[in-house]
């Protein structure tokens, strides 16, 4: 039995995509960390630059979804555009990267939820207790109809946007200095030293935007829904985050925003609320920060479950993983597989972090895993851009030369540049002062499974050509 058919609309898919980017988390955590670590005032500009790159990327990427409506997305597109073996390798990198992103967020969720509960009720709940509670709910929702998840995410995302909008209004209302848009959006900074590091941080806030095509087997209009939803989501994310990053500079003052970000980090926005809003609103903002993380957990869980499903159906992983529910049509085997991996990692870090500072799990589980995930996903996006060119070269369609060649070529080169910046600044992203073995290990965890899968697929493919009756690795 296949996935549930034709229930997702454009608005529903936009919600799923934006939920993965976690708006409140991106602004409270990502923007302030970007200011603090890079020391650059042009963080707002970086959102517009990355947004433009991803919008160009989406032109060719979403065009592929009209011809290859596969829940494996990167996997299927690279296989069709650059060859089956490379597609299998890309699939493993995608699977590892998405799992790292989703499971890493459990660390920050557990810390944030336990800290809030302990401060509010005088308890002493460990981070992993809260992480396991979220894990159970995410697993339950992942086994149900995807439109049920959309309803949950829709409420959370709407509340997140409202909180950030209120913050933006308050920031302009109490601005200690005159706003300086010329500083925050200085086009000369686009090629300034240090902008590469800024973009390496910024693109992490967009991760999940590409997930729209993964639901193409479940949307009402497979030829238009994913394309429109992805374009809309990228524009919303880029513009909203750019303006919000500017609001952070306005609220703290252009001359003080970097220093305040270094001092307070992700607490900057909540400290601002504490100084200018009633206590109940501060508590509400903290609760919505936690639910923002939950929304990202659920969104990425649904993506990973469908990747397992697509790879099981295509033969790259055991066929058992392609099992779907008879009642909800959800990819139950993929959902269970992802939940199992999440449980194992949570338990491992629960043991490792015992007796350590509560922030330990944020600096390790969350920071290491999510930045490694961004490393892998940006590599895949660059690879997919060139796969788009390869696919349309071999398959004649009515698409324009912009869709078939120009847009994917520009996106591929731009994303390769961002990927190189992530490599160059990887230690900074991990919070390390100098290069060390940890950075190489984490990059290896992402890349090696893909390389091994690619080599194995080449060997199996070669054997299949010699013996036509042997099993192959279809795309599905």
């Amino acid at each position: 039995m296949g996935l549930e058919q034709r229930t997702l609309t454009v608005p529903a898919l936009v919600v799923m995509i934006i939920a993965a980017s976690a708006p409140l988390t991106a602004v409270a955590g990502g923007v302030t960390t970007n200011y603090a670590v890079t020391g650059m005032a042009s963080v707002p500009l970086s959102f517009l630059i990355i947004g433009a790159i991803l919008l160009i990327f989406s032109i060719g990427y979403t065009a592929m979804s009209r011809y290859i409506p596969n829940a494996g997305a990167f996997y299927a597109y690279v296989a069709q555009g650059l060859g089956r073996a490379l597609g299998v390798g890309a699939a493993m990198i995608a699977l590892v990267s998405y799992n790292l992103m989703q499971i890493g967020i459990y660390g920050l969720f557990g810390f944030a939820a336990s800290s809030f509960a302990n401060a509010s009720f005088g308890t002493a709940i460990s981070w992993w207790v809260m992480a396991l509670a979220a894990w159970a709910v995410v697993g339950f929702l992942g086994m149900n109809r995807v439109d049920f998840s959309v309803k949950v995410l829709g409420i959370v995302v709407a509340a997140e946007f409202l909180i950030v909008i209120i913050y933006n209004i308050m920031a302009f209302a109490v601005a200690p200095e005159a706003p300086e848009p010329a500083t925050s959006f200085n086009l000369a900074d686009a090629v300034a030293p240090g902008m590469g590091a800024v973009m390496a941080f910024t693109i992490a806030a967009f991760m999940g935007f590409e997930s729209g095509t993964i639901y193409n087997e479940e949307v009402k209009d497979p030829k238009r829904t994913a394309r429109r939803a992805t374009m809309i989501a990228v524009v919303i994310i880029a513009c909203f985050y750019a303006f919000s990053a500017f609001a952070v500079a306005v609220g703290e003052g252009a001359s003080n925003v970097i220093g305040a970000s270094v001092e307070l980090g992700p607490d900057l926005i909540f400290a601002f609320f504490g100084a200018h809003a009633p206590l109940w609103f501060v508590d509400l903002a903290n609760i919505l920060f936690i639910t923002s993380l939950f929304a990202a957990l659920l969104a990425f869980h649904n993506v990973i479950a469908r990747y397992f499903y697509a790879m099981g159906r295509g033969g790259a992983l055991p066929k058992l993983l392609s099992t779907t529910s008879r009642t909800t049509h959800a990819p139950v085997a993929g959902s269970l597989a992802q939940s199992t991996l999440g449980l194992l990692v949570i338990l491992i870090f629960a043991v490792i972090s015992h007796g350590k500072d509560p922030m330990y799990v944020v600096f390790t589980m969350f920071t290491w895993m999510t930045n490694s995930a961004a490393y892998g996903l940006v590599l895949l996006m660059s690879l997919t851009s060139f796969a788009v060119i390869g696919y349309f070269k071999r398959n004649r369609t009515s698409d324009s030369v912009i869709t078939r060649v120009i847009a994917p070529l520009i996106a591929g080169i731009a994303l390769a540049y961002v990927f190189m910046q992530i490599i160059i600044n990887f230690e900074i992203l991990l919070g390390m002062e100098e290069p060390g073995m940890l950075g190489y290990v984490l990059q290896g965890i992402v890349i090696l499974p893909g390389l091994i899968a690619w080599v194995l697929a080449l060997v199996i493919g070669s054997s299949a050509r010699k013996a036509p009756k042997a099993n192959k690795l279809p795309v599905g």
Side-chain angles (χ1 to χ4, degrees), residues 46-276:
S46 70
F47 282 100
L48 297 182
I49 294 174
I50 293 296
I53 292 172
L54 297 183
L55 201 58
I56 294 171
F57 166 79
S58 298
I59 293 173
Y61 177 66
T62 58
M64 291 281 279
S65 69
R66 298 201 302 267
Y67 306 103
I68 311 173
N70 188 296
F74 287 143
Y75 162 41
Y77 299 176
V78 173
Q80 291 287 339
L82 299 177
R84 196 178 300 270
L86 200 54
V88 174
M92 291 306 300
I93 293 177
L95 200 57
V96 171
S97 298
Y98 279 124
N99 271 291
L100 285 171
M101 182 68 76
Q102 199 268 358
I103 297 171
I105 294 173
Y106 276 119
L108 183 56
F109 177 92
F111 168 79
S114 62
S115 296
F116 180 76
N118 294 340
S120 300
F121 307 109
T123 54
I125 302 172
S126 296
W127 72 269
W128 55 266
V129 175
M130 291 298 195
L132 286 177
W135 170 85
V137 178
V138 167
F140 170 76
L141 292 175
M143 301 277 283
N144 281 274
R145 289 164 54 95
V146 69
D147 52 349
F148 181 62
S149 293
V150 169
K151 293 173 184 176
V152 174
L153 294 175
I155 296 171
V156 173
V157 169
E160 286 183 66
F161 268 98
L162 181 60
I163 289 294
V164 178
I165 289 170
I166 291 173
Y167 168 79
N168 293 345
I169 294 171
M170 291 175 64
F172 278 88
V174 305
E177 303 172 8
E180 297 184 15
T183 300
S184 296
F185 297 99
N186 183 4
L187 291 178
D189 282 349
V191 293
M195 194 60 176
V198 176
M199 290 195 290
F201 271 99
T202 297
I203 199 166
F206 286 84
M207 289 300 97
F209 89 95
E210 76 292 342
S211 62
T213 59
I214 292 171
Y215 296 95
N216 217 38
E217 295 180 51
E218 302 165 86
V219 297
K220 286 193 173 181
D221 184 352
K223 293 188 178 297
R224 296 181 181 86
T225 301
R227 187 180 185 86
R228 291 175 179 173
T230 301
M231 299 287 191
I232 292 170
V234 170
V235 171
I236 291 174
I237 291 170
C239 294
F240 187 71
Y241 288 4
F243 183 79
S244 298
F246 178 50
V248 172
V250 171
E252 300 299 321
S255 63
N256 185 54
V257 64
I258 293 173
S261 297
V262 171
E263 178 185 357
L264 297 172
D267 287 334
L268 185 148
I269 287 179
F270 301 104
F272 179 91
F273 281 141
H276 302 287

